[in-house]
Amino acid sequence: MKTRLSEIADAQRADPPYDVPEYRSSSLRAPKRPLLLIPETLSETTGPVFGDDAVTELDGDLTRQHDGEPLGERIVVSGRVVGTDGRPLRRTLIEIWQANAAGRYVHESDRHPAPLDPNFTGAGRVLTDDDGRYRFTTIKPGAYPWRNHPNAWRPAHIHLSLFGRAFTERLVTQMYFPGDPLFGADPIFQSIRDPKARELLVSSFDWETTRPEWALGYRFDVVLGLTPEDPD
Protein backbone atom coordinates (compact mmCIF):
# COMPACT_ATOMS: atom_id res chain seq x y z
CA MET A 1 0.00 0.00 0.00
CA LYS A 2 1.31 3.43 -0.93
CA THR A 3 1.90 5.96 1.81
CA ARG A 4 0.69 9.53 1.57
CA LEU A 5 4.24 10.73 0.91
CA SER A 6 4.70 8.26 -1.94
CA GLU A 7 1.40 9.39 -3.49
CA ILE A 8 2.55 13.01 -3.37
CA ALA A 9 5.90 11.99 -4.88
CA ASP A 10 4.11 10.19 -7.70
CA ALA A 11 2.06 13.29 -8.41
CA GLN A 12 5.15 15.49 -8.41
CA ARG A 13 6.87 13.18 -10.90
CA ALA A 14 3.82 13.51 -13.16
CA ASP A 15 4.10 17.30 -13.19
CA PRO A 16 5.31 18.71 -16.51
CA PRO A 17 8.81 20.20 -16.72
CA TYR A 18 9.11 23.97 -16.46
CA ASP A 19 10.60 24.19 -19.94
CA VAL A 20 8.70 22.36 -22.70
CA PRO A 21 10.19 23.19 -26.14
CA GLU A 22 6.92 22.45 -27.91
CA TYR A 23 5.21 25.02 -25.64
CA ARG A 24 7.25 27.99 -26.82
CA SER A 25 6.50 30.58 -24.15
CA SER A 26 7.47 28.16 -21.37
CA SER A 27 11.11 28.59 -22.41
CA LEU A 28 10.88 32.32 -21.74
CA ARG A 29 9.64 31.97 -18.17
CA ALA A 30 11.22 28.70 -17.03
CA PRO A 31 13.84 29.11 -14.25
CA LYS A 32 17.42 28.97 -15.49
CA ARG A 33 18.95 28.38 -12.06
CA PRO A 34 18.13 25.95 -9.21
CA LEU A 35 15.14 26.98 -7.12
CA LEU A 36 15.73 28.38 -3.63
CA LEU A 37 13.46 27.49 -0.72
CA ILE A 38 12.62 30.60 1.29
CA PRO A 39 11.54 30.12 4.95
CA GLU A 40 7.85 30.83 5.45
CA THR A 41 6.76 33.65 7.73
CA LEU A 42 3.62 33.86 9.85
CA SER A 43 1.82 35.91 7.20
CA GLU A 44 2.41 33.14 4.67
CA THR A 45 1.34 30.23 6.86
CA THR A 46 -1.85 31.75 8.28
CA GLY A 47 -4.94 32.62 6.29
CA PRO A 48 -6.44 33.35 3.94
CA VAL A 49 -9.81 33.33 5.67
CA PHE A 50 -12.73 33.56 3.29
CA GLY A 51 -16.05 34.18 5.01
CA ASP A 52 -19.37 33.23 3.49
CA ASP A 53 -20.15 36.92 2.96
CA ALA A 54 -17.11 37.29 0.67
CA VAL A 55 -18.69 35.09 -2.01
CA THR A 56 -22.22 35.62 -3.30
CA GLU A 57 -24.61 33.25 -5.07
CA LEU A 58 -24.07 35.02 -8.39
CA ASP A 59 -20.32 34.46 -8.15
CA GLY A 60 -20.91 30.77 -8.80
CA ASP A 61 -23.43 31.22 -11.62
CA LEU A 62 -21.70 32.83 -14.58
CA THR A 63 -24.94 32.80 -16.57
CA ARG A 64 -26.70 35.26 -14.23
CA GLN A 65 -24.10 37.97 -13.76
CA HIS A 66 -25.53 40.31 -16.41
CA ASP A 67 -28.93 41.56 -17.56
CA GLY A 68 -29.33 39.09 -20.43
CA GLU A 69 -28.70 35.42 -21.16
CA PRO A 70 -25.21 34.55 -22.41
CA LEU A 71 -24.87 32.70 -25.70
CA GLY A 72 -23.78 29.08 -25.83
CA GLU A 73 -24.35 25.74 -24.17
CA ARG A 74 -25.10 25.95 -20.44
CA ILE A 75 -23.16 23.49 -18.28
CA VAL A 76 -22.88 22.64 -14.59
CA VAL A 77 -19.34 21.97 -13.33
CA SER A 78 -19.09 20.37 -9.91
CA GLY A 79 -16.92 18.07 -7.84
CA ARG A 80 -15.06 17.64 -4.56
CA VAL A 81 -11.78 19.04 -3.26
CA VAL A 82 -9.93 16.65 -0.95
CA GLY A 83 -6.47 16.14 0.45
CA THR A 84 -4.28 13.16 -0.41
CA ASP A 85 -5.68 11.46 2.70
CA GLY A 86 -9.20 11.73 1.25
CA ARG A 87 -10.41 14.28 3.79
CA PRO A 88 -12.63 17.03 2.36
CA LEU A 89 -11.18 20.53 2.24
CA ARG A 90 -13.82 22.81 3.69
CA ARG A 91 -14.33 26.48 2.82
CA THR A 92 -11.65 26.36 0.14
CA LEU A 93 -11.86 29.24 -2.33
CA ILE A 94 -12.13 28.12 -5.96
CA GLU A 95 -11.89 30.72 -8.72
CA ILE A 96 -12.47 30.00 -12.40
CA TRP A 97 -11.96 31.95 -15.61
CA GLN A 98 -12.60 30.94 -19.19
CA ALA A 99 -13.29 31.94 -22.78
CA ASN A 100 -16.85 32.40 -23.99
CA ALA A 101 -18.68 30.02 -26.32
CA ALA A 102 -16.88 31.53 -29.32
CA GLY A 103 -13.44 31.03 -27.77
CA ARG A 104 -12.87 34.67 -26.78
CA TYR A 105 -11.67 36.02 -23.41
CA VAL A 106 -12.76 39.36 -22.00
CA HIS A 107 -9.19 40.62 -21.99
CA GLU A 108 -7.44 43.40 -23.88
CA SER A 109 -4.69 41.02 -25.00
CA ASP A 110 -7.11 38.62 -26.68
CA ARG A 111 -7.10 39.53 -30.39
CA HIS A 112 -8.90 36.41 -31.60
CA PRO A 113 -11.43 37.66 -34.21
CA ALA A 114 -14.38 36.03 -32.47
CA PRO A 115 -17.32 37.93 -30.96
CA LEU A 116 -17.44 39.03 -27.35
CA ASP A 117 -20.62 38.30 -25.42
CA PRO A 118 -21.91 41.33 -23.46
CA ASN A 119 -23.71 38.95 -21.10
CA PHE A 120 -20.72 36.78 -20.25
CA THR A 121 -17.57 37.86 -18.42
CA GLY A 122 -16.17 34.37 -17.87
CA ALA A 123 -15.09 34.59 -14.21
CA GLY A 124 -16.55 33.17 -11.03
CA ARG A 125 -15.75 31.87 -7.56
CA VAL A 126 -17.24 29.66 -4.87
CA LEU A 127 -16.37 28.22 -1.46
CA THR A 128 -16.43 24.47 -0.92
CA ASP A 129 -18.97 23.17 1.60
CA ASP A 130 -18.30 20.98 4.64
CA ASP A 131 -17.95 17.92 2.39
CA GLY A 132 -15.49 19.69 0.08
CA ARG A 133 -18.07 20.01 -2.69
CA TYR A 134 -18.34 22.90 -5.14
CA ARG A 135 -20.61 23.82 -8.05
CA PHE A 136 -20.54 26.32 -10.92
CA THR A 137 -23.10 27.06 -13.62
CA THR A 138 -21.47 28.46 -16.74
CA ILE A 139 -21.20 28.28 -20.53
CA LYS A 140 -19.12 25.64 -22.27
CA PRO A 141 -16.05 27.49 -23.61
CA GLY A 142 -15.01 27.31 -27.24
CA ALA A 143 -11.62 26.35 -28.66
CA TYR A 144 -9.37 29.17 -29.82
CA PRO A 145 -6.18 29.71 -31.87
CA TRP A 146 -3.04 30.73 -30.01
CA ARG A 147 -0.17 30.96 -32.56
CA ASN A 148 2.18 28.65 -30.70
CA HIS A 149 2.79 26.74 -33.94
CA PRO A 150 1.13 26.63 -37.38
CA ASN A 151 -2.64 26.16 -37.08
CA ALA A 152 -2.42 25.85 -33.29
CA TRP A 153 -5.71 25.56 -31.37
CA ARG A 154 -6.27 25.13 -27.65
CA PRO A 155 -8.83 22.52 -26.58
CA ALA A 156 -11.87 23.88 -24.73
CA HIS A 157 -10.93 24.31 -21.09
CA ILE A 158 -11.69 26.13 -17.84
CA HIS A 159 -8.96 27.55 -15.59
CA LEU A 160 -9.20 26.84 -11.85
CA SER A 161 -7.39 28.41 -8.93
CA LEU A 162 -7.64 26.81 -5.47
CA PHE A 163 -6.26 28.10 -2.16
CA GLY A 164 -5.22 25.94 0.80
CA ARG A 165 -4.20 27.15 4.26
CA ALA A 166 -2.37 30.18 2.93
CA PHE A 167 -1.83 32.20 -0.20
CA THR A 168 1.40 30.24 -0.72
CA GLU A 169 -0.64 27.02 -0.94
CA ARG A 170 -2.29 27.64 -4.27
CA LEU A 171 -2.98 25.31 -7.17
CA VAL A 172 -3.72 26.66 -10.64
CA THR A 173 -4.85 24.07 -13.16
CA GLN A 174 -7.09 23.53 -16.17
CA MET A 175 -10.16 21.34 -16.66
CA TYR A 176 -10.82 19.84 -20.08
CA PHE A 177 -13.84 18.12 -21.62
CA PRO A 178 -14.01 14.45 -22.63
CA GLY A 179 -13.37 13.41 -26.21
CA ASP A 180 -11.80 16.65 -27.43
CA PRO A 181 -10.08 16.01 -30.81
CA LEU A 182 -7.47 18.70 -30.07
CA PHE A 183 -5.81 16.85 -27.16
CA GLY A 184 -3.18 15.18 -29.30
CA ALA A 185 -2.04 18.45 -30.90
CA ASP A 186 -1.95 20.60 -27.75
CA PRO A 187 1.57 20.93 -26.28
CA ILE A 188 0.25 22.23 -22.94
CA PHE A 189 -1.92 19.15 -22.41
CA GLN A 190 0.80 16.88 -23.80
CA SER A 191 3.47 18.43 -21.55
CA ILE A 192 2.25 16.00 -18.89
CA ARG A 193 4.07 12.93 -20.19
CA ASP A 194 2.15 10.30 -18.23
CA PRO A 195 -1.10 9.48 -20.09
CA LYS A 196 -2.83 8.46 -16.84
CA ALA A 197 -1.89 11.77 -15.23
CA ARG A 198 -3.18 13.67 -18.29
CA GLU A 199 -6.56 12.01 -17.92
CA LEU A 200 -6.90 13.54 -14.45
CA LEU A 201 -7.31 16.93 -16.17
CA VAL A 202 -10.33 15.71 -18.17
CA SER A 203 -13.75 16.07 -16.58
CA SER A 204 -16.38 13.35 -16.83
CA PHE A 205 -19.95 13.71 -18.02
CA ASP A 206 -22.29 13.59 -15.01
CA TRP A 207 -25.95 12.59 -15.29
CA GLU A 208 -26.47 13.36 -11.60
CA THR A 209 -25.91 17.09 -12.06
CA THR A 210 -27.39 17.33 -15.57
CA ARG A 211 -30.54 19.44 -15.38
CA PRO A 212 -33.40 18.41 -17.69
CA GLU A 213 -33.92 20.84 -20.58
CA TRP A 214 -31.38 23.24 -19.07
CA ALA A 215 -27.73 22.17 -18.73
CA LEU A 216 -25.37 19.21 -19.04
CA GLY A 217 -23.30 18.29 -16.00
CA TYR A 218 -19.55 17.66 -15.77
CA ARG A 219 -17.66 16.40 -12.72
CA PHE A 220 -14.12 17.44 -11.86
CA ASP A 221 -12.59 16.38 -8.56
CA VAL A 222 -9.37 17.93 -7.25
CA VAL A 223 -6.82 16.39 -4.88
CA LEU A 224 -4.50 18.88 -3.19
CA GLY A 225 -1.14 17.70 -1.90
CA LEU A 226 -1.47 19.75 1.28
CA THR A 227 -4.45 19.28 3.55
CA PRO A 228 -5.60 22.46 5.34
CA GLU A 229 -6.21 22.25 9.05
CA ASP A 230 -9.85 21.99 9.99
CA PRO A 231 -11.23 25.43 10.89
CA ASP A 232 -12.98 25.77 14.21
Side-chain angles (χ1 to χ4, degrees), residues 55-86:
V55 179
T56 69
E57 180 183 356
L58 289 181
D59 287 332
D61 189 341
L62 284 67
T63 68
R64 297 170 52 208
Q65 296 175 347
H66 299 275
D67 293 335
E69 288 275 354
L71 299 175
E73 176 189 344
R74 285 184 295 266
I75 60 174
V76 175
V77 176
S78 64
R80 293 186 73 211
V81 182
V82 299
T84 53
D85 57 2

Side-chain angles (χ1 to χ4, degrees), residues 37-46 165-169 226:
L37 294 179
I38 300 176
E40 294 179 335
T41 64
L42 183 63
S43 63
E44 294 166 332
T45 58
T46 58
R165 292 176 302 187
F167 284 109
T168 54
E169 294 178 4
L226 295 174

Side-chain angles (χ1 to χ4, degrees), residues 98-138:
Q98 62 170 93
N100 65 18
R104 180 84 181 269
Y105 287 95
V106 182
H107 194 280
E108 61 182 8
S109 297
D110 190 343
R111 301 301 182 186
H112 174 33
L116 289 171
D117 187 342
N119 293 310
F120 189 76
T121 305
R125 60 182 184 169
V126 297
L127 291 171
T128 59
D129 64 15
D130 287 343
D131 198 34
R133 298 188 183 277
Y134 73 91
R135 182 186 183 101
F136 289 97
T137 301
T138 185

Side-chain angles (χ1 to χ4, degrees), residues 146-226:
W146 64 306
R147 299 181 180 179
N148 179 79
H149 55 273
N151 204 16
W153 289 79
R154 295 264 16 244
H157 60 278
I158 295 176
H159 301 263
L160 293 92
S161 164
L162 301 94
F163 283 103
R165 292 176 302 187
F167 284 109
T168 54
E169 294 178 4
R170 184 190 183 200
L171 170 68
V172 179
T173 187
Q174 297 182 12
M175 184 202 90
Y176 297 87
F177 295 88
D180 197 310
L182 296 173
F183 284 155
D186 182 52
I188 296 180
F189 185 75
Q190 294 295 327
S191 67
I192 300 176
R193 305 306 187 189
D194 184 347
K196 292 183 178 179
R198 282 200 299 268
E199 288 302 312
L200 297 177
L201 297 179
V202 182
S203 61
S204 58
F205 174 69
D206 188 12
W207 274 115
E208 185 176 345
T209 56
T210 293
R211 297 176 56 187
E213 302 182 27
W214 184 255
L216 296 181
Y218 292 90
R219 183 181 178 94
F220 189 68
D221 296 329
V222 179
V223 179
L224 292 181
L226 295 174

